[in-house]
Amino acid sequence: MDILITVIYLILFIVMMVFVFSIGMLKQYMPKREVVLVLVVAFLIGSIGGAFFLDPIYDELPSVISAIEKTMPNNEETLYLDLSSSVNINELKNKLNSTDGFKSFDEKSITIPMWSFNEREHDYFDRIVGNIDSHYKSHYINSSEIQITLEENYTSAQALKSFSDWYKLVYGGTISYAQVHAVLVVDSSALDRFEEILLEDGIVASKIEGPIQDSINNTNSSMLSNIEFTLICGGVGVVVALMGIYIDSVVPKYRKFRKVLREKRKR
């Protein structure tokens, strides 16, 4: 939502509150029992105004907070990426590296889909995978996948090739696919630009960590629901109506109070 629309929505809500205030000022011309009706109407007008004009602005609050975080110097965002091994990772890395705001890109691990292991096969792979390549930092075997954590500066392509060579030697088949888990670190101010670059290749971060994401999560967790916010706007309408109802009695008392203060100062 741009600034112009935001200002228009705020003005329209204020106009509605002025109308509610005006209705309240008509109290002296109506029976006392009609005051309840005025308050009900004020609540409805406030709720409708909140739902149509203020709620869209309220929903933009996380975006506003994140925009502020983007302006802070030295903030960094960490993007966790799950890539297909068919992606040209070197080309992707070069593209990211040439973009302002780039910090680092590391291939952390690969997940190789297999078949549903029985207990004997699970124990066998758990025992043998660590000996296939000395650059395998660690490994984890679940019921149908093998996850291999890579040493620093060791690429997923190298890890997949070494595993595929071993698999071909032992089983006579080939392994040509794996899911690559990488971590991209960028300046917070450049997050949107890097997300666009990734999206061009059909890549969406599985998780983002950093000040921007933290601010969005914290704001979302503390925000009221749309219904709660609308009810509060209705309450604002009631308060404004009450101000209109009692303005005739408050203003004379306020003027009298100021007169008393002036007289005391003269003494």
Side-chain angles (χ1 to χ4, degrees):
M1 182 181 297
D2 57 37
I3 296 177
L4 179 59
I5 295 177
T6 299
V7 172
I8 292 174
Y9 279 6
L10 288 173
I11 292 174
L12 289 174
F13 184 79
I14 291 173
V15 169
M16 295 180 75
M17 292 300 99
V18 171
F19 176 69
V20 169
F21 185 83
S22 302
I23 294 176
M25 292 183 66
L26 298 176
K27 173 225 175 185
Q28 56 183 321
Y29 303 109
M30 61 181 71
K32 288 186 178 181
R33 63 177 181 272
E34 299 296 332
V35 173
V36 176
L37 179 60
V38 170
L39 296 180
V40 172
V41 171
F43 179 81
L44 292 175
I45 293 176
S47 299
I48 293 172
F52 281 94
F53 301 128
L54 294 189
D55 193 56
I57 299 174
Y58 186 65
D59 288 340
E60 292 292 321
L61 187 59
S63 299
V64 174
I65 300 298
S66 65
I68 295 173
E69 286 290 347
K70 290 177 183 178
T71 63
M72 299 296 180
N74 302 320
N75 277 354
E76 295 180 353
E77 302 296 315
T78 302
L79 291 80
Y80 295 88
L81 310 177
D82 296 326
L83 312 171
S84 168
S85 57
S86 60
V87 172
N88 190 329
I89 295 180
N90 286 332
E91 181 180 325
L92 175 63
K93 185 175 181 179
N94 291 335
K95 187 190 301 184
L96 296 171
N97 192 26
S98 61
T99 304
D100 291 339
F102 175 85
K103 293 294 184 180
S104 65
F105 179 88
D106 297 306
E107 300 170 58
K108 294 296 187 180
S109 64
I110 61 172
T111 298
I112 304 172
M114 303 293 284
W115 60 86
S116 183
F117 297 138
N118 58 38
E119 185 176 350
R120 182 178 60 82
E121 291 170 332
H122 180 280
D123 293 342
Y124 171 73
F125 278 104
D126 192 30
R127 185 175 66 255
I128 203 67
V129 168
N131 298 319
I132 295 175
D133 192 323
S134 60
H135 295 292
Y136 293 175
K137 187 175 181 180
S138 63
H139 67 276
Y140 172 75
I141 315 294
N142 67 16
S143 59
S144 60
E145 294 177 335
I146 299 174
Q147 182 170 319
I148 301 171
T149 304
L150 310 178
E151 287 187 349
E152 190 175 353
N153 298 322
Y154 193 64
T155 68
S156 58
Q158 292 171 310
L160 181 58
K161 183 179 184 307
S162 64
F163 184 87
S164 180
D165 290 343
W166 170 84
Y167 186 84
K168 184 175 183 179
L169 181 66
V170 175
Y171 289 93
T174 57
I175 297 291
S176 57
Y177 173 82
Q179 188 176 55
V180 180
H181 309 287
V183 175
L184 171 65
V185 181
V186 302
D187 284 335
S188 294
S189 58
L191 177 61
D192 291 342
R193 184 160 59 250
F194 280 94
E195 287 186 315
E196 289 174 3
I197 293 173
L198 293 171
L199 194 58
E200 288 174 359
D201 291 329
I203 301 169
V204 177
S206 58
K207 184 173 69 170
I208 301 177
E209 293 180 348
I212 292 178
Q213 194 62 37
D214 290 343
S215 66
I216 292 175
N217 293 337
N218 292 335
T219 304
N220 284 330
S221 64
S222 61
M223 289 178 67
L224 301 172
S225 68
N226 291 342
I227 294 177
E228 291 172 333
F229 183 78
T230 300
L231 292 176
I232 288 177
C233 291
V236 171
V238 172
V239 171
V240 171
L242 289 172
M243 291 172 61
I245 290 172
Y246 293 105
I247 191 70
D248 289 338
S249 59
V250 172
V251 171
K253 290 180 181 178
Y254 174 71
R255 289 174 178 171
K256 184 177 180 180
F257 176 72
R258 289 187 62 185
K259 183 178 180 181
V260 171
L261 286 179
R262 283 197 300 267
E263 292 176 351
K264 285 186 177 180
R265 288 173 183 171
K266 289 178 181 179
R267 294 173 186 173

